[in-house]
Amino acid sequence: MAFRIFTLLAAVALGVSIWILSSPSHRPTQTAGAAAALPGYYLKSAVMTDYDENGAVSLRIHADRIDQIDHGPEVALSNVRVDYQSPQGQSWVLFGDTGRVETGGKILDVAGNVRLEEQSAEHAGAAVMHTDTLRYDVASALATTQSDVRIDFGLHTLTAHGLQANLKARTIRLESKVNGRFQP
């Protein structure tokens, strides 16, 4: 009889222990650090396209690789090429080693061997701008930098520190330390 009571008490204790240990308060939870350690999405040989209000292509971003940054809306780009088509029909191309598209997709920061040039048959041999970093505002079509800039135009060269280029208006403003070298 004592053996049956002991077995019954052991079975009840086992049932209570299982019930307590399986309650939601004892289940392991996933920490925020574990989710952040997982990589976000990435794309290889990707093209992102932006359209104007009329539905025409206004901007195309080509990259060898696009990586999501910290599971957020920003992305990092590798080996970047940006093709911009202005409403007036001018085509511009921007190259860089790396880039970053900020939240909302309206600001693009490009770094490393940055080159900006107009691409059109009527402006063959147009100026080519070189710098280390460039920020491009998609909505205003404004490219700016506070880095050193070199502009090559045929045999001629301009150097400066800082640049503001309005791609829609086709104007360039050099900020400071402007020097030119013009060869006949």
Side-chain angles (χ1 to χ4, degrees):
M1 179 84 166
F3 180 70
R4 286 186 184 179
I5 292 175
F6 177 73
T7 304
L8 184 62
L9 287 175
V12 169
L14 180 63
V16 169
S17 297
I18 290 173
W19 179 72
I20 290 173
L21 292 175
S22 66
S23 70
S25 63
H26 285 90
R27 290 186 187 146
T29 59
Q30 185 175 9
T31 61
L38 296 174
Y41 69 82
Y42 71 93
L43 306 167
K44 288 185 172 183
S45 300
V47 177
M48 296 188 298
T49 305
D50 190 30
Y51 299 91
D52 64 15
E53 59 275 353
N54 298 324
V57 173
S58 65
L59 184 77
R60 221 174 236 144
I61 301 173
H62 306 261
D64 285 350
R65 184 176 171 109
I66 299 175
D67 291 288
Q68 182 183 23
I69 299 173
D70 296 330
H71 295 280
E74 295 182 4
V75 294
L77 311 166
S78 299
N79 198 15
V80 183
R81 176 189 168 119
V82 179
D83 296 313
Y84 169 73
Q85 184 74 36
S86 77
Q88 294 81 19
Q90 294 93 12
S91 297
W92 292 83
V93 64
L94 169 66
F95 297 96
D97 293 339
T98 62
R100 180 179 176 123
V101 178
E102 292 187 4
T103 304
K106 298 303 178 189
I107 300 290
L108 173 65
D109 290 315
V110 182
N113 299 312
V114 178
R115 190 174 86 228
L116 176 65
E117 58 189 72
E118 187 173 6
Q119 298 282 301
S120 68
E122 70 181 50
H123 295 102
V128 178
M129 292 164 266
H130 303 270
T131 186
D132 292 328
T133 63
L134 190 79
R135 173 169 269 226
Y136 178 68
D137 184 331
V138 175
S140 64
L142 199 61
T144 58
T145 185
Q146 294 304 313
S147 297
D148 289 336
V149 178
R150 186 183 86 237
I151 301 174
D152 296 325
F153 186 80
L155 296 175
H156 312 297
T157 301
L158 280 174
T159 59
H161 184 78
L163 167 125
Q164 185 174 3
N166 186 328
L167 303 185
K168 285 182 185 175
R170 297 182 62 215
T171 60
I172 297 172
R173 190 176 112 213
L174 300 172
E175 302 291 331
S176 65
K177 300 179 186 175
V178 179
N179 289 306
R181 183 172 181 208
F182 299 91
Q183 303 214 357

